[in-house]
Amino acid sequence: MNRAVWFVAGATAGVYAVTKARRVAEAFTPDGIRDRLAGLSLGAHLLHEEIVAEMSAKENDLRDRLGLGLDELTGAPALEHERPRELTRKGIN
């Protein structure tokens, strides 16, 4: 009985080692590297989209809290007569 247990344990360890070695070897083939780079690129794109969405949500939240519209937020005057005095004093129209 004791030998059978050690045989099964050794066979299990051997199968595990072969499986791990095959996965490592696959990772360093051109296809494996291409797959890893594609996964990294996809992750970067998803992270970027998430950051942009959260920035937009935070901007809208701040705009609502401060009661600002788009013209006030960008600093662009809505009408011609609302130009800042600094620009008209310097002769910039």
Side-chain angles (χ1 to χ4, degrees):
M1 177 82 173
N2 195 15
R3 287 185 178 180
V5 171
W6 283 110
F7 177 77
V8 170
T12 304
V15 168
Y16 177 76
V18 168
T19 304
K20 280 297 226 182
R22 188 175 14 195
R23 286 183 184 169
V24 169
E26 170 65 28
F28 291 110
T29 63
D31 289 336
I33 292 172
R34 187 178 314 118
D35 289 343
R36 289 185 184 270
L37 289 176
L40 181 65
S41 175
L42 177 64
H45 286 295
L46 291 174
L47 177 64
H48 178 262
E49 289 175 3
E50 188 70 26
I51 289 173
V52 168
E54 289 298 320
M55 285 174 46
S56 177
K58 189 65 167 180
E59 182 181 357
N60 289 336
D61 182 39
L62 288 172
R63 191 179 305 140
D64 289 343
R65 284 185 185 180
L66 298 175
L68 296 176
L70 277 177
D71 293 335
E72 295 151 345
L73 188 64
T74 60
L79 299 174
E80 184 66 30
H81 68 276
E82 293 180 350
R83 287 197 172 202
R85 292 181 189 208
E86 296 83 20
L87 294 179
T88 55
R89 269 190 264 149
K90 292 179 183 176
I92 301 172
N93 294 330

